Amino acid sequence: QVQLVESGGGLVQAGGSLRLSCAASERTFNAYTMGWFRQAPGKEREFVAAIGRFSGYISYADSVKGRFTISRDNAKNMGYLQMNSLKPEDTAVYYCAARAGTVTRIGTSYNYWGQGTQVTVSS
């Protein structure tokens, strides 16, 4: 079992930045692909970004490409999502997820999920 805990969410003005962190309990964190997803009120959960076990493969949703950067530090069992040039439409609960497989944008393919952290972008 991998336990994931997100942090770093908050309220920010449009154009601002936030850095989300995901702390993993598993010492073999490097055995897992890590992904970030988000869910806005009244909307379905959507893929944001994912990173392979050793950062060799990264995928972004078109809506965040060029603004968000996903990264990980396997030595610290940590994952990150740097979010720049935030827009009001980025407002959502952001979830960290992990899976023992290759990078995928399909949320149901991830086995482990954090509790989520709220990101609110004001206009």
Side-chain angles (χ1 to χ4, degrees):
Q1 284 281 359
V2 180
Q3 293 183 333
L4 303 171
V5 179
E6 303 95 335
S7 61
L11 174 63
V12 64
Q13 289 187 332
S17 298
L18 282 175
R19 188 195 196 202
L20 304 184
S21 297
C22 176
S25 64
E26 182 60 50
R27 285 181 292 177
T28 56
F29 182 55
N30 59 17
Y32 299 89
T33 283
M34 187 189 75
W36 287 94
F37 293 78
R38 67 187 182 186
Q39 187 166 20
K43 295 187 177 181
E44 294 187 352
R45 182 180 62 194
E46 66 173 354
F47 169 79
V48 175
I51 185 167
R53 294 164 56 200
F54 298 104
S55 305
Y57 187 82
I58 291 175
S59 179
Y60 293 102
D62 288 344
S63 59
V64 307
K65 198 173 294 182
R67 300 188 298 122
F68 291 11
T69 302
I70 189 172
S71 62
R72 64 191 296 164
D73 185 338
N74 289 337
K76 296 181 178 179
N77 295 339
M78 293 291 297
Y80 306 99
L81 184 69
Q82 177 67 43
M83 305 186 296
N84 299 329
S85 302
L86 283 161
K87 304 175 181 180
E89 50 264 44
D90 294 318
T91 295
V93 177
Y94 283 72
Y95 298 91
C96 172
R99 70 185 297 265
T102 56
V103 168
T104 177
R105 299 181 172 209
I106 303 172
T108 53
S109 296
Y110 287 77
N111 307 103
Y112 307 103
W113 292 83
Q115 82 290 349
T117 184
Q118 176 71 46
V119 171
T120 303
V121 184
S122 63
S123 57

